[in-house]
């Protein structure tokens, strides 16, 4: 049987994700499982007054595609049972893998992981926030800098059985002011690889052409100008930035 038209075919709801801060539903288009976030279910945010979160999610997918790294699952706008919203392909994660974790402070692995911070848990035990030291997460960290992700929680990184890592929940992105809050701070000051620099170049080139035209329907002109400036600044330094400004460097909760 041919694949359903993911934009026009009926979107059927199968459940609701009650832990999400905005209305988020599980659904299907034919046999294709999807996540659906209607614009009508978005809660207004004082610090993201422009546009809709659904538009930012789609914009994040378009930038991911420009990078060429398949970070964001396919995401698009369409009508659903509660009106227009963001729809994204559902991903089945591997429950035995964690890209980000809390471990005992004296048990941080010597290789393969990066420590972000150290603190006490609810029982007063010293713990460390760590994440994988892998090319997949490095690329996601570069992506987050470029899109100015204000909410990269550990649970927003999906660990797939084949080792791939998807990033989801990109409604808080593309603000014109610095908003970067992430758990992926393990490479601060390290030089970007040639592959990572080439990815930034692809986004910069796209902003001068089709990517820029597509984003113009989703973001404000100021937000696109800030996106362009972040790409240029990151390309010029060639290194992972450090936290700066008065805002917290990590989201809360962390997961």
């Amino acid at each position: 049987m041919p694949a359903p038209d993911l934009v026009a075919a009926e979107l059927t709801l199968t459940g609701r994700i009650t832990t999400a801060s905005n209305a988020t539903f599980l659904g299907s288009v034919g046999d294709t499982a999807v996540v659906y976030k209607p614009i009508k279910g978005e809660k207004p945010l004082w610090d993201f007054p422009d546009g809709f979160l659904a538009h930012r999610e789609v914009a994040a997918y378009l930038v991911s595609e420009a990078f060429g790294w398949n970070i964001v699952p396919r995401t698009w706008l369409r009508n659903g049972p509660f009106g227009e919203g963001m729809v994204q392909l559902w991903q089945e994660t591997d429950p035995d893998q964690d890209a980000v974790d809390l471990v005992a402070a004296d048990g941080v692995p010597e290789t393969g992981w990066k420590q972000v911070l150290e603190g006490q848990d609810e029982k007063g035990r010293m713990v460390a926030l760590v994440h994988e030291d892998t090319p997949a997460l490095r690329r996601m960290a570069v992506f987050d800098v470029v899109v100015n992700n204000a909410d990269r929680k550990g649970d927003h990184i999906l660990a797939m059985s084949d080792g791939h890592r998807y990033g989801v929940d990109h409604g808080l992105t593309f603000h014109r002011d610095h908003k970067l809050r992430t758990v992926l701070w393990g490479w601060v000051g390290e030089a970007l690889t040639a592959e990572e620099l080439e990815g930034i170049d692809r986004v910069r080139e796209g902003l001068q052409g089709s990517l820029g035209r597509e984003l113009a329907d989703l973001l404000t002109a100021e937000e696109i100008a800030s996106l362009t400036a972040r790409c240029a600044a990151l390309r010029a330094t060639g290194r992972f930035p450090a936290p700066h400004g008065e805002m917290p460097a990590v989201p809360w909760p962390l997961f």
Side-chain angles (χ1 to χ4, degrees):
M1 295 180 61
D5 183 335
L6 294 177
V7 175
E10 182 181 6
L11 170 56
T12 303
L13 301 188
T14 57
R16 182 170 183 176
I17 300 176
T18 58
T19 55
S21 56
N22 294 285
T24 303
F25 298 91
L26 300 178
S28 63
V29 181
D31 293 330
T32 303
V34 298
V35 176
Y36 165 56
K37 298 181 182 180
I39 290 174
K40 289 181 180 178
E42 296 179 5
K43 296 179 180 178
L45 297 173
W46 68 268
D47 55 342
F48 278 81
D50 299 316
F52 302 110
L53 304 186
H55 288 185
R56 297 177 187 279
E57 295 241 31
V58 175
Y61 167 72
L62 294 176
V63 173
S64 168
E65 288 295 283
F67 268 114
W69 296 336
N70 194 28
I71 293 171
V72 181
R74 181 178 173 183
T75 309
W76 64 101
L77 290 173
R78 61 158 290 167
N79 284 319
F82 297 108
E84 185 178 55
M86 178 226 80
V87 178
Q88 185 175 82
L89 294 182
W90 172 260
Q91 305 298 321
E92 285 291 343
T93 60
D94 184 345
D96 296 326
Q97 295 189 44
D98 291 300
V100 181
D101 203 359
L102 281 175
V103 300
D106 59 359
V108 177
E110 294 184 2
T111 60
W113 294 81
K114 292 284 191 177
Q115 180 173 332
V116 176
L117 56 82
E118 188 175 290
Q120 291 184 336
D121 66 9
E122 67 278 3
K123 295 183 179 180
R125 298 171 298 193
M126 295 303 297
V127 295
L129 176 68
V130 298
H131 62 68
E132 296 174 330
D133 182 14
T134 61
L137 279 202
R138 281 180 62 105
R139 292 191 291 266
M140 191 177 297
V142 172
F143 168 82
D144 283 343
V145 173
V146 167
V147 303
N148 201 16
N149 192 351
D151 197 33
R152 176 62 74 204
K153 294 182 172 69
D155 285 347
H156 294 175
I157 301 170
L158 306 184
M160 311 305 291
S161 59
D162 62 358
H164 188 71
R165 302 300 184 243
Y166 282 114
V168 296
D169 288 311
H170 296 112
L172 303 185
T173 48
F174 298 106
H175 200 286
R176 61 181 182 272
D177 300 326
H178 173 71
K179 293 281 186 179
L180 185 61
R181 288 191 294 261
T182 176
V183 295
L184 300 180
W185 286 114
W187 301 283
V188 169
E190 291 190 19
L192 300 177
T193 65
E195 179 198 19
E196 291 157 357
L197 293 172
E198 289 167 0
I200 298 169
D201 288 341
R202 286 192 292 272
V203 174
R204 295 179 71 188
E205 181 179 354
L207 286 170
Q208 303 303 313
S210 60
L211 175 61
R213 291 190 293 272
E214 291 177 291
L215 292 180
D217 293 330
L218 302 167
L219 306 173
T220 68
E222 283 186 326
E223 289 168 338
I224 295 174
S226 293
L227 167 62
T228 302
R230 286 191 299 273
C231 288
L234 186 58
R235 188 63 174 82
T237 63
R239 295 184 178 276
F240 284 96
H244 66 275
E246 298 181 356
M247 63 180 296
V250 295
W252 189 260
L254 297 171
F255 292 88

